[in-house]
Amino acid sequence: MLRLLAPAKVNLVLRVLGKRPDGYHELETLFERIDLADELTFSPQPSGLTLTCDNSSLSCGEDNLILKAARLLQNTFHMHQGASIHLMKRIPIAAGLGGGSSDAATALMGLSQIWNLRVPAERLVALAAQLGSDVPFFLLPQPFAIGTGRGERLEPLPEPHPTLWHVVVTPKVTLSTPEVYAGFDAQKSAERSRMGLTAAGGSITITTHALRNGPDMSGLAKGLGNDLEPEAIRRCPVIHDIRILLRKGGCIATSTSGSGPSVFGLCHDAAAAHAAASSIRTHGKPEWFVAVTKTNHAII
Ligand code: C5P
């Protein structure tokens, strides 16, 4: 049996540059892998694929990206051996934290290992991109990367990789990524920035520079931003309230991850992150998911 962690991500920066003829959006994003993680266990079996999960609200059918990853590997490499996979879900679902994408990437790695497939790294990345725009990021050994194209073309940031501390807050609502992108397209640009607390989109240049310099926390605070945030707030106004509470709790900057509804606050250190999390637990809604997280330097 093989046990692997499937970590979450946040988008420190997410800029939508335009809509493409294939319906996707051209992005410029800065991913950070964090240490909030699902856990997957893989056991080989003679044939067939079985997926179980400790969270009954998640489908374990063919629509689950883990099974899609498994079928893609089986079809690509004519693999007749099967596997039973168990998922322990810790990352909030459909929350902008990349949980499903990370599970898919981890399934590609875990199954290649137990089936002894010896897939070259570039081949695995190409398969990952077929499963979803965010999936290739979770195959990288580096914790920070700039994503362009759909988000699948990656440029990892070179060392040194600082450790950032955050509080991640997810309200109990789900947002559909295609719907948030469609809403983004429908809004006029003036309306887009009206509801944001910071300049929409943020800046990859300012943020990567700040990561290289210490990190320079005030540079990071200036650089964070997400073009999808105004649309996410329009559909889920509580995101705005969470951002304000995180600032009151001592976070130096906040932003929405992916298409939301998860919000993260950036903190100076572990103590500040724990203090902000405890403030959110006191002043926020009891059903919100609240976690102190930090940069995840190595996939375990
Ligand atoms: O690639 P993935 O399946 O994760 O994307 C989910 C949906 O998000 C797409 O169907 C599309 O509506 C939207 N999307 C987009 N542009 C991107 C990434 C995702 O429009 N770069």
Side-chain angles (χ1 to χ4, degrees):
M1 190 170 84
L2 173 68
R3 170 187 163 277
L4 295 176
L5 291 179
K9 57 86 181 164
V10 291
N11 299 84
L12 295 174
V13 178
L14 195 158
R15 307 205 53 220
V16 183
L17 305 180
K19 193 164 181 192
R20 311 181 348 168
D22 64 3
Y24 281 88
H25 291 75
E26 198 65 24
L27 299 186
E28 193 179 59
T29 187
L30 179 56
F31 290 110
E32 180 197 359
R33 189 171 65 217
I34 61 174
D35 62 357
L36 170 67
D38 291 342
E39 193 179 313
L40 279 86
T41 49
F42 303 90
S43 313
Q45 60 188 25
S47 65
L49 292 168
T50 328
L51 174 64
T52 52
C53 177
D54 65 349
N55 182 332
S56 58
S57 64
L58 193 72
S59 158
C60 286
E62 292 296 326
D63 55 331
N64 189 301
L65 269 184
I66 294 175
L67 284 186
K68 287 188 180 172
R71 297 257 178 248
L72 185 62
L73 271 185
Q74 280 187 324
N75 293 340
T76 308
F77 297 100
H78 311 290
M79 167 54 59
H80 300 294
Q81 217 184 320
S84 92
I85 307 165
H86 183 67
L87 167 64
M88 280 189 266
K89 199 72 199 157
R90 304 284 174 263
I91 305 170
I93 298 164
L97 298 171
S101 301
S102 184
D103 293 343
T106 305
L108 289 177
M109 292 188 281
L111 293 171
S112 307
Q113 210 171 314
I114 66 164
W115 290 339
N116 218 0
L117 289 174
R118 299 178 201 287
V119 187
E122 324 78 72
R123 191 87 196 271
L124 213 56
V125 170
L127 293 176
Q130 287 183 45
L131 292 166
S133 309
D134 287 349
V135 182
F137 170 69
F138 293 103
L139 296 175
L140 288 180
Q142 296 90 347
F144 297 98
I146 296 170
T148 53
R150 285 190 289 133
E152 90 290 13
R153 277 210 311 265
L154 295 166
E155 183 196 331
L157 297 195
E159 291 196 47
H161 300 135
T163 300
L164 303 183
W165 284 89
H166 350 71
V167 180
V168 171
V169 182
T170 311
K172 220 173 172 48
V173 280
T174 54
L175 281 178
S176 144
T177 301
E179 285 176 17
V180 172
Y181 274 102
F184 172 88
D185 291 335
Q187 294 295 312
K188 292 194 182 70
S189 57
E191 286 169 348
R192 267 182 214 149
S193 50
R194 186 168 51 85
M195 295 173 83
L197 295 181
T198 56
S203 162
I204 299 249
T205 313
I206 294 175
T207 312
T208 49
H209 190 261
L211 286 175
R212 268 198 305 273
N213 283 285
D216 159 19
M217 297 305 275
S218 64
L220 277 180
K222 267 195 216 106
L224 294 194
N226 182 337
D227 275 339
L228 295 176
E229 182 172 74
E231 179 59 22
I233 291 176
R234 209 173 66 77
R235 287 164 183 268
C236 177
V238 73
I239 291 174
H240 182 85
D241 306 338
I242 295 172
R243 289 193 60 185
I244 289 171
L245 283 178
L246 283 167
R247 291 304 296 267
K248 283 192 182 152
C251 295
I252 56 171
T254 65
S255 193
T256 299
S257 185
S259 55
S262 296
V263 181
F264 63 95
L266 190 65
C267 302
H268 274 291
D269 51 27
H274 285 283
S278 125
S279 161
I280 282 278
R281 287 189 185 109
T282 307
H283 301 291
K285 296 264 188 294
E287 69 269 20
W288 293 353
F289 170 89
V290 180
V292 170
T293 69
K294 61 180 188 308
T295 310
N296 181 344
H297 289 273
I299 311 179
I300 307 153

